[in-house]
Amino acid sequence: MSRAAVICEFNPFHNGHKFLLEKIKADYQDEVICIMSGNFVQRGDIAITDKYARTKAALENGADIVVELPTVYALSGAQTFAESGVQLAAAMQCERLYFGAENSLNDLTEIAELLENKQINDKINEAMKSGQYYPKALSIALGEKHADIISKPNNILALEYIKACRKYGILPIAIPRKNVNHDEDILLDGIASASKIRELIVNGEPYKSLTPMEITDPCQLKRIESAILYRLKTITPEELHYIADVSEGIEYRICEAAKQYNSLTEIYNAVKTKRYTMARIRRIVLSSFLGITAEMQSTPVPYLRILGIRKGLEDLLRGAKLPLIVKVKADYENLNHISAKEIFSADLRAAEAMNIARKGAPINEFSAGVIKI
């Protein structure tokens, strides 16, 4: 059998994800390695539930291995998020990468090739210098013909997956989204967007027909908001300057807003500009809280943290091209590079934040172990 990768968040794992994994198994008979964000996710938020619960749901519904995308990269823009995930897929010797998209692979590949053109990249940079955020700059540079494709959120990430796959020699395969688009506020044939399901869960509305997961205690950022606010109110612009994704003096806007307001929503709204999307601002704030610097985020992923595996498939871990973290304490201590330990330490801080944001006994990262189904 060949190996396939899916880069995911499973926030939460739902019927659409189950459909994707089942389709991969049915059409290609691949062993599926899911590379999943841990306790924080790319939109700049805490996950609806901890990474172990989401790992278990994935293994019970088609995944063969779940590898953690470290928090340093999970809280990054589309380019870094995609390349880091694809790097882990390559390290696990995956031959194919599957991802959801609103358009065909041919359409997306045509645009990905354009993005390797220097003139197009110069136009993107010019648009961003004039104050546009990245998706809008892409649309301006590529022109009206491709504007509709670029406007769809899954396609932005799909383009980055295709570019990264070309770099690492992996075949990209786009799977059309089933019934419901990203962030769409509808329910159709047992399928809903992850954002809609999160809304139902948090509001105590029926959701169980949409996901195999049962989430009785949804994690919400408001439970750790006071800790984040304290960090924002005490960090200096000089310290914030080194945090991931900070540029062009936005550190001063954030520090000034933190002095004036006592809620994250007010701070986000005060800092927002045309150039900075709300998701990017949220990621910067969480990166400052978790101590994630630009230098850490520019470091290639240094290890493979195995969160879960189907029993009997342990041989899939042989030949991995990065150090494995399976026996967490011992393998963490055996990491050779300071940067690798720093990146793992950010995962430890993220885990403690999740412990505060969830009810029940704290989860110890060093004793949680690998989930086996």
Side-chain angles (χ1 to χ4, degrees):
M1 293 179 74
S2 56
R3 299 185 191 183
V6 174
I7 300 170
C8 52
E9 294 185 322
F10 295 156
N11 185 34
F13 186 95
H14 58 63
N15 293 345
H17 299 132
K18 185 176 181 180
F19 164 78
L20 174 62
L21 298 187
E22 287 174 347
K23 184 171 178 61
I24 293 169
K25 296 271 185 166
D27 291 358
Y28 298 94
Q29 291 79 50
D30 281 341
E31 292 159 328
V32 180
I33 296 169
C34 292
I35 298 161
M36 187 186 79
S37 299
N39 289 319
F40 286 81
V41 293
Q42 206 246 348
R43 65 190 297 271
D45 202 353
I46 197 163
I48 191 76
T49 191
D50 67 85
K51 61 190 178 186
Y52 301 104
R54 286 151 46 229
T55 293
K56 183 173 182 290
L59 291 173
E60 290 174 340
N61 291 278
D64 292 308
I65 296 178
V66 180
V67 177
E68 182 173 5
L69 180 65
T71 309
V72 166
Y73 313 100
L75 280 174
S76 66
Q79 293 164 297
T80 300
F81 181 92
E83 176 148 351
S84 301
V86 173
Q87 183 197 344
L88 287 176
M92 286 296 296
Q93 302 185 70
C94 294
E95 298 160 66
R96 289 186 276 271
L97 175 74
Y98 297 85
F99 49 87
E102 289 92 352
N103 287 78
S104 72
L105 184 62
N106 286 340
D107 288 341
L108 294 167
T109 300
E110 180 183 347
I111 295 175
E113 289 172 351
L114 286 173
L115 293 177
E116 294 180 354
N117 182 296
K118 184 180 183 301
Q119 289 182 323
I120 295 292
N121 278 287
D122 287 345
K123 287 182 180 179
I124 292 170
N125 291 331
E126 285 172 16
M128 292 184 72
K129 284 178 183 176
S130 71
Q132 301 294 345
Y133 59 93
Y134 183 66
K136 181 64 176 176
L138 275 182
S139 182
I140 291 170
L142 292 169
E144 189 175 334
K145 177 185 175 183
H146 302 295
D148 181 59
I149 295 175
I150 291 297
S151 70
K152 297 171 182 174
N154 275 284
N155 287 345
I156 293 286
L157 200 49
L159 289 171
E160 299 302 333
Y161 287 144
I162 292 167
K163 288 164 58 181
C165 282
R166 290 161 74 96
K167 178 176 179 179
Y168 287 95
I170 293 176
L171 179 67
I173 298 178
I175 304 291
R177 288 184 65 87
K178 184 177 173 63
N179 297 342
V180 178
N181 290 323
H182 179 86
D183 279 349
E184 200 165 18
D185 190 27
I186 62 171
L187 313 179
L188 188 61
D189 296 334
I191 302 291
S193 67
S195 60
K196 180 61 179 178
I197 298 171
R198 290 194 299 271
E199 178 189 318
L200 294 173
I201 292 170
V202 170
N203 292 339
E205 299 177 52
Y207 69 90
K208 292 183 181 178
S209 64
L210 304 169
T211 167
M213 298 191 74
E214 183 172 358
I215 300 173
T216 56
D217 175 36
C219 298
Q220 298 177 66
L221 203 66
K222 65 183 180 182
R223 292 183 184 169
I224 57 171
E225 182 167 356
S226 59
I228 298 170
L229 287 170
Y230 175 79
R231 179 58 178 152
L232 288 179
K233 288 175 178 292
T234 55
I235 196 170
T236 66
E238 291 74 24
E239 291 173 301
L240 194 53
H241 175 76
Y242 293 99
I243 293 298
D245 227 2
V246 169
S247 64
E248 299 174 334
I250 197 170
E251 59 268 34
Y252 295 99
R253 289 178 64 88
I254 292 173
C255 288
E256 187 59 35
K259 291 176 185 175
Q260 294 183 44
Y261 300 107
N262 282 326
S263 80
L264 289 178
T265 299
E266 289 175 311
I267 292 171
Y268 297 153
N269 289 331
V271 173
K272 175 127 178 28
T273 66
K274 278 199 308 180
R275 171 127 191 184
Y276 285 81
T277 64
M278 196 64 85
R280 183 176 176 184
I281 294 167
R282 290 195 300 258
R283 287 195 298 267
I284 290 171
V285 166
L286 289 179
S287 292
S288 68
F289 173 60
L290 296 169
I292 298 172
T293 65
E295 183 179 1
M296 291 165 69
Q297 207 168 80
S298 66
T299 302
V301 187
Y303 55 77
L304 284 157
R305 168 77 187 278
I306 308 301
L307 292 177
I309 188 168
R310 283 183 181 270
K311 290 180 180 178
L313 296 181
E314 289 79 6
D315 283 352
L316 291 178
L317 301 179
R318 291 182 181 175
K321 297 179 181 178
L322 285 172
L324 289 171
I325 295 183
V326 178
K327 296 179 179 177
V328 180
K329 188 171 179 60
D331 292 339
Y332 164 68
E333 290 175 351
N334 286 333
L335 290 173
N336 292 325
H337 299 291
I338 293 174
S339 60
K341 289 193 171 182
E342 286 179 341
I343 288 165
F344 193 85
S345 293
D347 286 336
L348 297 178
R349 293 191 291 273
E352 292 303 341
M354 173 61 76
N355 280 333
I356 298 169
R358 61 189 288 278
K359 295 177 183 176
I363 298 173
N364 186 322
E365 285 290 277
F366 288 119
S367 60
V370 173
I371 295 172
K372 295 190 176 182
I373 299 294

